[in-house]
Amino acid sequence: MLADSDPAGAATRQRLSDRLDENPGVPERALLEHLLETRQQDALKQGTPDAARTAVPVDGMPPALVEQLDTLRSLSRISALLQNQMLMTAFQPIYGLASQSVVGVEALSRFVSDDGAGAELWFAEAAAVGLGANLEFSALGSAATAAANLPPHLYVALNISPMSCIDPRLPELFDHIGLSISRIVLELTGGIPDEEYLHFVSAITPLRERGLRIAIDDSHSGTGALSRMLHLRPDFIKLGRNIISQVDSDASQYALAACMVDFADQIGTVLVAEGIETPNELRVLTELGISAGQGYLLGRPSVQPKEWAAWNTPLDPDGLGRHVTGAGRLAHDSGASDKH
């Protein structure tokens, strides 16, 4: 638009240029404001000043324009978030169930926004407008920086989509952060498309040879299929609520969890139970030989370094052990998976 040399459009080009100057580094927002201003001026020329003074109602716009404006708004929101680094990292402790101590953490993104949207909504919106990988790498950088305040013996699980593992920025990230690659676990947040599987393996293998570990979620059909697990030989398998829910009272759930323990033993991987909600679930999972667990029963995500420092020492004798015996009471929560 700015490259157009038609004299008739000089005024329009100048207005757009002014908008770009007012929104440095966020051209999507400048274009959105320009489109809205142009729409209002067109309404004024047509003799409808009231419409020109107010925002044009969505139901009065052509569907294609509404879709375009929604995309531009999302681009503007995500671009502003990235530019202003409006995210922070919370860590949730992961307990070794046998040692009764924290062995690692999962990094979870928290966004500073007026609408209070959850992390998954932000990542979904970013992916929809082609900025998903940008937001993922911003979150990875934030988590790596925050991890400097963690006890040094803890591993750090970072959520990432399989496609971002193919991105050349990933090895570059490990070369420039202060966190040792041997402490990092990449936790895949989705399935690996069949047509990209070989690319994924080629990209991740050199990093694993340097000490990187990977975790996959049993609930994803792409990474969770047993045949895929056998080939990848992940370092960790995360068991979600679909397996551990009611493991203490449902014979089928118990049998499924027991099978996963045997399977993990056979391929040499560590099982981590996610979303542990009740003392009885924790007791049974421990008896089954599940290696590690996390959930609101054991510890909520925290953005406070003072709380992270407390994970440097084993739980007191009346802590985790009390819950394993089922004698303690903690608030029951939803325990929903909170990726990213």
Side-chain angles (χ1 to χ4, degrees):
M1 187 182 297
L2 290 176
D4 188 5
S5 60
D6 185 358
T12 298
R13 292 195 296 275
Q14 184 59 51
R15 287 196 299 272
L16 177 55
S17 180
D18 291 341
R19 289 295 188 189
L20 288 169
D21 291 340
E22 294 168 2
N23 296 276
V26 195
E28 296 85 3
R29 184 189 301 166
L31 183 57
L32 174 59
E33 293 178 355
H34 173 74
L35 287 173
L36 291 175
E37 180 184 33
T38 301
R39 178 79 175 182
Q40 291 167 355
Q41 288 181 347
D42 289 344
L44 183 60
K45 290 177 182 178
Q46 294 170 10
T48 55
D50 289 341
R53 286 196 298 267
T54 60
V56 180
V58 172
D59 57 8
M61 295 183 182
L65 180 57
V66 172
E67 182 178 354
Q68 185 179 27
L69 290 177
D70 285 343
T71 298
L72 288 170
R73 288 191 182 99
S74 291
L75 282 168
S76 178
R77 276 164 49 88
I78 302 301
S79 296
L81 186 149
L82 292 170
Q83 181 185 22
N84 298 316
Q85 298 182 333
M86 297 168 59
L87 60 83
M88 59 196 309
T89 301
F91 291 114
Q92 184 173 29
I94 300 171
Y95 278 86
L97 299 188
S99 66
Q100 300 185 9
S101 61
V102 181
V103 295
V105 298
E106 180 177 353
L108 302 166
S109 295
R110 295 293 180 259
F111 292 83
V112 181
S113 62
D114 294 334
D115 60 6
E120 290 191 1
L121 293 178
W122 278 104
F123 282 100
E125 183 176 0
V129 294
L131 293 177
N134 295 51
L135 185 54
E136 282 194 59
F137 280 100
S138 180
L140 290 173
S142 173
T145 299
N149 294 310
L150 289 169
H153 70 286
L154 303 181
Y155 71 78
V156 183
L158 305 175
N159 289 289
I160 187 172
S161 65
M163 295 308 296
S164 288
C165 292
I166 304 174
D167 195 303
R169 285 175 289 183
L170 186 61
E172 293 175 2
L173 175 73
F174 295 143
D175 289 337
H176 294 92
I177 60 176
L179 189 62
S180 170
I181 195 171
S182 63
R183 290 182 60 195
I184 297 174
V185 176
L186 288 186
E187 186 167 328
L188 305 184
T189 59
I192 306 171
D194 290 340
E195 64 274 15
E196 297 292 345
Y197 181 71
L198 292 180
H199 292 112
F200 169 82
V201 172
S202 296
I204 209 71
T205 297
L207 297 174
R208 297 185 76 179
E209 291 173 349
R210 291 171 52 188
L212 177 74
R213 291 174 288 176
I214 63 171
I216 62 176
D217 191 321
D218 73 281
S219 64
H220 297 305
S221 59
T223 56
L226 294 183
S227 59
R228 185 63 57 84
M229 288 185 186
L230 283 170
H231 186 264
L232 275 179
R233 294 297 174 103
D235 303 278
F236 299 86
I237 296 176
K238 305 292 286 283
L239 303 181
R241 292 294 298 170
N242 60 309
I243 289 183
I244 69 169
S245 176
Q246 298 181 339
V247 69
D248 57 309
S249 58
D250 186 307
S252 297
Q253 292 295 91
Y254 182 93
L256 181 56
C259 285
M260 288 304 300
V261 171
D262 290 339
F263 176 73
D265 287 342
Q266 290 294 324
I267 68 171
T269 192
V270 174
L271 283 185
V272 182
E274 291 188 295
I276 299 175
E277 296 185 356
T278 70
N280 282 334
E281 287 176 349
L282 178 60
R283 173 181 55 79
V284 171
L285 294 169
T286 303
E287 292 172 353
L288 278 171
I290 302 289
S291 302
Q294 67 185 98
Y296 285 163
L297 178 71
L298 299 174
R300 293 172 177 270
S302 170
V303 297
Q304 301 297 330
K306 288 184 178 180
E307 294 185 18
W308 306 343
W311 301 336
N312 200 28
T313 57
L315 245 59
D316 63 275
D318 294 327
L320 185 58
R322 181 179 65 243
H323 299 310
V324 171
T325 62
R329 279 190 72 172
L330 285 178
H332 180 86
D333 212 308
S334 64
S337 178
D338 184 10
K339 290 304 171 191
H340 288 293

